[in-house]
Amino acid sequence: MSHSGGLLDEVEGTVQGHRDGHGFVQRDDGEADIYLPPNEMRAVLHKDRVKARVVRQDRRGRPEGRVVEIIERPEQPIIGRLLHEGGIWLVAPEDKRYGQDVMIPKAAIGTAKVGQVVVVQLTEPPALFGQPVGRVKEVLGEIDDPGMEIEIAVRKYGVPHDFSEACLAEAKALPDKVRAVDKKGRVDLTDVPLVTIDGEDARDFDDAVYCEAAKVGRGKGWRLLVAIADVSAYVQTGSPIDIDAYDRATSVYFPRRVIPMLPEKLSNGLCSLNPEVERLCMVCDMLVTAEGEIYAYQFYPAVMWSHARFTYTEVAAILGNTRGPEAAKRKERVKDLLNLHDAYRALLAQRSKRGAVDFETTETQIICDEAGRIEKIVPRTRNEAHRLIEEAMLAANVCSADFIAEGKHPGLYRVHEGPTPEKKEILRGYLKAMGVGLSITDDPKPGEFQAIAEATKERPDAQQIHTMLLRSMQQAIYTPINSGHFGLAYEAYTHFTSPIRRYPDLLVHRVIKAILGKTKYQLPMLPTPGEAHAKLAKRLASRVKAPTAKPQKATVAPSKEVLAWQAAGLHCSANERRADEASRDVEAWLKCKYMREHLGEEYGGVVTAATTFGIFVTLDAMYVEGLVHITELGGEYFKFDEQRQELRGERTGIRYAIGTRVRVQVSRVDLDGRKIDFRLVREGEELSSRALKDKGLSTGGVPAKASTKRSARKKPETSAAAERSDRSERSDRSSDHAASAAPQSAMQAFRTAVKKAASKMKGRKPRR
């Protein structure tokens, strides 16, 4: 098959739906997607596995095709709102990529009521001239119920959210505390003053630390202990709890709610290092030199007793003032914390020497009220205590990777590879275009990225440059093939420190125990990986490097054992992505709902991305991102400069690039599509003109689209007609923009618009 996807080539792939009726087939071979026109999308659904044929090139030069065969239609529940129109019952999917409503026979509605959010099981697939048919499988409730966005997301992304009965029964049978028999063969650390340091709202504590000054080799240094909850002591390989944990692969974090990987008895009880109770743990016991190098380490199972539960804020206050009130309350622990801080500074100096990438980025936290609605969005502030714990965990993770490699035992590494050839070229071109005096080599090292970051940190466009450096890197994955961690500049790295919430960490614990016991850990027969795993496998396969000119030695095919570890790594990586997508979806929904209350308001912001169709702007005050469509940028042609990652006006030369400061008005919020639209506010624009737009009128006196006015209302409409009309209409930015050019005064515009609107509404039936 040709690389470009020649005409009449038949390829296999997965249908990805689009909101406008178009879609595309994501090819299995990693080649360019095949675009499907609306008529081709009628007989297929988002996520269908199909065989497609390229039949032509579209106007933009993209391969356009048609579906010749549906290979597989996955069992996928569809979530949406139940509507009743003209005697017909149907469900409008919440995920607009499905592109068409699902008909529901009256007998298949069950107890669901109009407007409620339901889960639908398909009973008849779509056809060229017929809509899909289904039955209501589950009623989730009203769209405004607290937490509804989470209920939708877990089903939309297939996040397992109910533990199996066997899993819950096994958890219930576990002891409530550490028993004498559990301590056998473990080092007693109950007299060592280990402490936990976490956020104020933390409920589970999976790591504890202790540090003391020590002689290391011939010089001074520290003994650093990192104790991690020993989940493997309670979760046996292949047990019901293990199968459920593997299926989830990670805990999923939403605002106000966590879907844990393990049942609560473990995650908040037996495996949480709560203060002043005995707990089983795995310990990484390290000697750190004054230069921040790990001189020696050992692993062993132990019993510990947490001597204090600290918060990051409290520790930062103590380190900032050892004579302050916080230090006075914890005076017996202050010396240990100062030792920990000294060891951290040495490790940090070594990190800098190693050339690890260390960009400071702003993470946000959504603060919700009791009803689950956003009160405010605030930046997460990282203080010395956050960094101190992070550096201690990195040290333990490096030691665990080294221990597994030295033990020649298969396991899962956390691998982060350098930029792809394509991303390297884009970054080189960008750095050159921006006049940065440094660039990257063909085989770049992390230190090169850090050097560029350091050299440009005082420039006004530093944020723009650092964002591009970050975007050039790949995502980290779990794999048994150790390729090192590019960003952290480690030859080997793995995850050891969070077995309560990450399955790969649990596997690492089991492998370390096997090496200590001079045995071999066997992966159990685990559930077949799902769709997310398959997607990631294809994406990684398309990343395979081209062969070099020199002939390579014949390589031995991977053993069944290595293949099993590869499958486990792909599964964990894919489900990590799934958790991230579900969390982002919920955050986007909450932000859209929040911004609906701020329609028409103006904010300062910064451009965070430039594209061919507009600029994305993040508001300073709210940390919310929205799109300023290219038609809102002004009455001239804007061209996208890929090298500079900016839009530039051909007539005025005005530029919009990452980091450009702008002022915008919130113009439209699409809750279904998780999209927020802004319009640019220019200096000198009349306040009366902006006020008219707020009232649903363009500056030319033309009434704004009905959907825009509806979205500005705070009270949601519940009638089926209103629901359908709101979903079917989309504001036309370009027509609004053209209308705004009419040379009328604000008062003239207002009067003209009122007259036009009144005459048009006479005798008109409501739109459906």
Side-chain angles (χ1 to χ4, degrees), residues 193 307-308 310 327-337:
H307 286 242
F310 281 103
K329 285 180 197 169
R330 307 275 202 169
K331 57 184 178 183
E332 69 281 3
R333 298 279 73 83
V334 170
K335 190 181 176 184
D336 301 342
L337 291 177

Side-chain angles (χ1 to χ4, degrees), residues 471-534:
R471 286 180 183 169
S472 71
M473 295 181 192
Q474 298 184 50
Q475 285 184 305
I477 59 166
Y478 295 107
T479 171
I481 299 157
N482 176 32
S483 309
H485 197 292
F486 182 83
L488 294 170
Y490 287 132
E491 288 182 9
Y493 184 73
T494 193
H495 276 167
F496 162 78
T497 53
S498 296
I500 289 178
R501 59 186 178 89
R502 291 189 305 227
Y503 196 82
D505 302 52
L506 175 55
L507 290 176
V508 165
H509 278 230
R510 288 171 176 167
V511 169
I512 288 172
K513 280 187 175 179
I515 296 169
L516 289 172
K518 295 182 171 54
T519 60
K520 193 81 177 280
Y521 175 68
Q522 291 292 142
L523 275 172
M525 292 295 290
L526 293 162
T528 307
E531 176 204 358
H533 166 284

Side-chain angles (χ1 to χ4, degrees), residues 112-424:
K113 296 179 177 65
V114 170
Q116 286 187 318
V117 181
V118 297
V119 181
V120 170
Q121 195 72 45
L122 287 185
T123 53
E124 288 180 36
L128 275 176
F129 303 104
Q131 285 176 266
V133 180
R135 66 178 183 85
V136 174
K137 182 182 170 187
E138 183 184 3
V139 179
L140 299 183
E142 304 297 333
I143 189 67
D144 286 324
D145 286 351
M148 178 53 68
E149 68 281 0
I150 296 172
E151 295 298 332
I152 291 170
V154 294
R155 289 160 179 83
K156 181 175 172 180
Y157 292 95
V159 175
H161 55 284
D162 291 321
F163 287 107
S164 66
E165 287 184 18
C167 169
L168 292 173
E170 187 184 11
K172 192 176 179 182
L174 289 169
D176 294 318
K177 59 183 181 179
V178 174
R179 303 164 301 186
V181 67
D182 301 326
K183 302 178 193 177
K184 261 184 137 180
R186 290 179 177 268
V187 177
D188 187 346
L189 293 182
T190 51
D191 60 335
V192 175
L194 285 150
V195 299
T196 61
I197 305 174
D198 293 275
E200 277 82 356
D201 55 352
R203 290 181 60 213
D204 53 40
F205 314 108
D206 47 16
D207 56 79
V209 290
Y210 168 72
C211 189
E212 64 185 19
K215 189 177 180 184
V216 181
R218 294 182 179 180
K220 291 181 179 179
W222 301 270
R223 182 188 179 200
L224 173 62
L225 268 67
V226 174
I228 305 297
D230 190 358
V231 174
S232 63
Y234 298 105
V235 181
Q236 304 305 312
T237 298
S239 67
I241 296 177
D242 192 41
I243 289 169
D244 275 26
Y246 177 79
D247 191 28
R248 294 171 182 229
T250 180
S251 295
V252 187
Y253 293 86
F254 299 110
R256 295 179 68 249
R257 182 177 166 192
V258 177
I259 295 178
M261 185 180 83
L262 299 170
E264 192 173 355
K265 184 163 185 178
L266 287 167
S267 58
N268 298 132
L270 269 175
C271 293
S272 182
L273 306 180
N274 300 329
E276 299 181 1
V277 289
E278 285 187 332
R279 287 289 182 257
L280 305 183
C281 60
M282 283 294 291
V283 177
C284 180
D285 193 337
M286 297 166 274
L287 288 176
V288 181
T289 68
E291 290 75 38
E293 291 182 342
I294 298 168
Y295 181 81
Y297 67 82
Q298 60 176 328
F299 286 92
Y300 49 83
V303 185
M304 65 161 283
W305 172 283
S306 173
H307 286 242
R309 182 267 201 259
F310 281 103
T311 67
Y312 292 122
T313 309
E314 192 180 5
V315 170
I318 292 169
L319 295 174
N321 182 7
T322 54
R323 294 183 180 181
E326 293 86 0
K329 285 180 197 169
R330 307 275 202 169
K331 57 184 178 183
E332 69 281 3
R333 298 279 73 83
V334 170
K335 190 181 176 184
D336 301 342
L337 291 177
L338 290 174
N339 283 330
L340 195 57
H341 191 238
D342 289 342
Y344 148 72
R345 284 192 295 196
L347 289 166
L348 197 63
Q350 185 57 224
R351 179 192 185 119
S352 179
K353 188 178 173 183
R354 208 169 60 239
V357 178
D358 189 17
F359 303 147
E360 280 295 327
T361 54
T362 303
E363 289 184 24
T364 57
Q365 181 180 6
I366 293 176
I367 310 293
C368 294
D369 60 18
E370 286 303 310
R373 289 179 174 82
I374 293 183
E375 282 187 340
K376 57 184 175 180
I377 302 166
V378 296
R380 285 186 188 271
T381 49
R382 274 167 51 83
N383 57 37
E384 282 286 274
H386 286 89
R387 297 184 183 94
L388 180 150
I389 287 298
E390 182 183 291
E391 213 58 49
M393 297 305 121
L394 290 177
N397 285 340
V398 170
C399 291
S400 60
D402 185 71
F403 190 67
I404 291 170
E406 289 294 313
K408 294 182 170 51
H409 195 297
L412 287 185
Y413 295 93
R414 181 67 167 175
V415 166
H416 180 231
E417 295 182 341
T420 61
E422 295 81 9
K423 286 189 173 183
K424 276 188 279 194

Side-chain angles (χ1 to χ4, degrees), residues 29-182:
D29 56 14
E31 297 291 344
D33 300 326
I34 299 172
Y35 284 81
L36 301 175
N39 62 316
E40 283 294 319
M41 288 297 292
R42 287 194 200 115
V44 294
L45 284 172
H46 173 60
K47 295 184 182 178
D48 279 355
R49 296 265 309 129
V50 299
K51 191 176 282 185
R53 179 180 294 144
V54 180
V55 293
R56 65 176 69 86
Q57 301 289 317
D58 71 3
R59 284 181 298 178
R60 291 170 61 183
R62 302 174 300 187
E64 189 178 290
R66 67 185 189 85
V67 174
V68 293
E69 183 187 343
I70 296 169
I71 301 168
E72 182 189 356
R73 180 153 275 150
E75 281 285 320
Q76 46 178 322
I78 295 173
I79 301 98
R81 291 178 74 176
L82 182 66
L83 308 173
H84 190 217
E85 296 184 348
I88 296 168
W89 291 89
L90 50 91
V91 166
E94 191 276 339
D95 188 341
K96 298 303 163 198
R97 290 175 296 181
Y98 283 100
Q100 49 189 319
D101 298 335
V102 181
M103 309 282 287
I104 310 290
K106 193 173 188 311
I109 291 164
T111 59
K113 296 179 177 65
V114 170
Q116 286 187 318
V117 181
V118 297
V119 181
V120 170
Q121 195 72 45
L122 287 185
T123 53
E124 288 180 36
L128 275 176
F129 303 104
Q131 285 176 266
V133 180
R135 66 178 183 85
V136 174
K137 182 182 170 187
E138 183 184 3
V139 179
L140 299 183
E142 304 297 333
I143 189 67
D144 286 324
D145 286 351
M148 178 53 68
E149 68 281 0
I150 296 172
E151 295 298 332
I152 291 170
V154 294
R155 289 160 179 83
K156 181 175 172 180
Y157 292 95
V159 175
H161 55 284
D162 291 321
F163 287 107
S164 66
E165 287 184 18
C167 169
L168 292 173
E170 187 184 11
K172 192 176 179 182
L174 289 169
D176 294 318
K177 59 183 181 179
V178 174
R179 303 164 301 186
V181 67
D182 301 326

Side-chain angles (χ1 to χ4, degrees), residues 407-441:
K408 294 182 170 51
H409 195 297
L412 287 185
Y413 295 93
R414 181 67 167 175
V415 166
H416 180 231
E417 295 182 341
T420 61
E422 295 81 9
K423 286 189 173 183
K424 276 188 279 194
E425 282 308 306
I426 291 169
L427 182 60
R428 280 199 197 105
Y430 171 77
L431 293 171
K432 187 178 179 183
M434 297 302 290
V436 176
L438 298 170
S439 192
I440 57 169
T441 59

Side-chain angles (χ1 to χ4, degrees), residues 646-712:
E646 68 180 21
L647 281 173
R648 182 190 289 197
E650 283 203 340
R651 181 170 52 81
T652 60
I654 190 168
R655 298 174 179 180
Y656 295 103
I658 300 166
T660 303
R661 295 210 56 77
V662 291
R663 188 156 187 81
V664 295
Q665 183 185 47
V666 184
S667 62
R668 181 173 171 270
V669 175
D670 175 6
L671 196 61
D672 287 344
R674 314 287 195 268
K675 289 181 173 66
I676 299 165
D677 287 348
F678 299 145
R679 58 176 290 271
L680 218 54
V681 175
R682 293 169 187 82
E683 283 185 32
E685 184 177 8
E686 284 186 21
L687 279 169
S688 56
S689 146
R690 299 209 301 262
L692 284 174
K693 289 191 184 234
D694 296 349
K695 292 177 186 296
L697 297 164
S698 72
T699 51
V702 180
K705 290 273 182 179
S707 59
T708 308
K709 287 189 280 186
R710 261 196 304 274
S711 66

